[in-house]
Amino acid sequence: MQLYKTFQTERLLLRPTSIVDALFICELFNTPKWLQFIGDRDVKTEEAALAYIRAKMLPQLGILGFGNYTVIRKADSVKVGTCGLFDRPGLEGIDIGFAFLAQHEKKGYAFEASRELLRAAGEDFGLLKINAITARKNLGSQKLLERLGLVFTKTIGLPGEEEDLLFYEKGLGEV
């Protein structure tokens, strides 16, 4: 079995999402903000979450060595959200994405986890550029992307998505 990189910040542990996270993924995928801004992935049970992890998350991790990370607060081992580097269908390049449970928002966790994954994207995985997409109405995500140094460049459509998305990008050699 191959071991994949985990990352740490002062307060957080980021480890590749695995089958042990199925219940947490089910909870996260059914939060109001996930459903509003990311979309219904039809993951309504722990079994469906397990199937999603096996079909969507683990294959990319196996191929690229990076993917979706479960974000765990070090102080008490509570799972607070996810952050990841994704090779999304219909999107050129690698995309950073994040989602956190409502009770763990506005504590700096998303910024802390995303900043560490941006560092890892360049230093550990050799990526030269990172992209991000977000819904036009997701102002919180837009603010975080801009705080991370990503710049809005255009509006795009993705296969299977009804709504156009805002596209951000950043060269990883930039400070």
Side-chain angles (χ1 to χ4, degrees):
M1 180 175 119
Q2 182 171 353
L3 294 177
Y4 298 101
K5 288 186 179 244
T6 61
F7 303 98
Q8 292 189 52
T9 67
E10 183 180 332
R11 300 181 297 163
L12 305 171
L13 173 69
L14 288 74
R15 67 158 171 72
T17 300
S18 72
I19 59 173
V20 301
D21 299 309
L23 193 58
F24 172 72
I25 291 298
C26 183
E27 179 184 5
L28 183 65
F29 278 29
N30 288 287
T31 60
K33 282 189 175 178
W34 182 285
L35 294 170
Q36 178 184 4
F37 295 130
I38 298 172
D40 190 346
R41 299 294 187 251
D42 197 27
V43 174
K44 306 296 183 211
T45 65
E46 185 175 2
E47 293 75 24
L50 185 58
Y52 188 93
I53 291 166
R54 285 185 172 137
K56 303 280 188 184
M57 295 179 180
L58 295 180
Q60 182 188 302
L61 182 65
I63 293 167
L64 299 178
F66 56 80
N68 195 69
Y69 294 83
T70 298
V71 180
I72 303 163
R73 190 169 50 207
K74 286 180 178 179
D76 54 10
S77 299
V78 168
K79 297 173 185 177
V80 297
T82 63
C83 189
L85 300 169
F86 306 102
D87 185 9
R88 296 187 196 275
L91 189 63
E92 189 175 318
I94 301 300
D95 170 66
I96 189 166
F98 40 80
F100 286 75
L101 295 174
Q103 64 267 35
H104 302 296
E105 291 179 350
K106 308 229 182 283
K107 296 179 180 174
Y109 296 146
F111 177 76
E112 195 173 318
S114 298
R115 184 178 58 194
E116 175 59 17
L117 273 191
L118 283 175
R119 183 210 58 75
E123 293 179 18
D124 297 330
F125 301 124
L127 301 177
L128 301 177
K129 187 176 111 176
I130 202 79
N131 302 321
I133 52 174
T134 188
R136 193 178 298 274
K137 294 179 184 175
N138 192 344
L139 300 179
S141 179
Q142 293 166 38
K143 286 180 186 175
L144 177 56
L145 292 172
E146 290 167 6
R147 186 171 172 217
L148 290 165
L150 283 90
V151 177
F152 169 75
T153 57
K154 60 186 171 184
T155 303
I156 64 166
L158 287 181
E161 298 289 331
E162 297 172 14
E163 181 183 342
D164 280 345
L165 300 168
L166 303 179
F167 181 85
Y168 288 76
E169 58 189 343
K170 174 182 179 160
L172 293 178
E174 301 170 18
V175 178

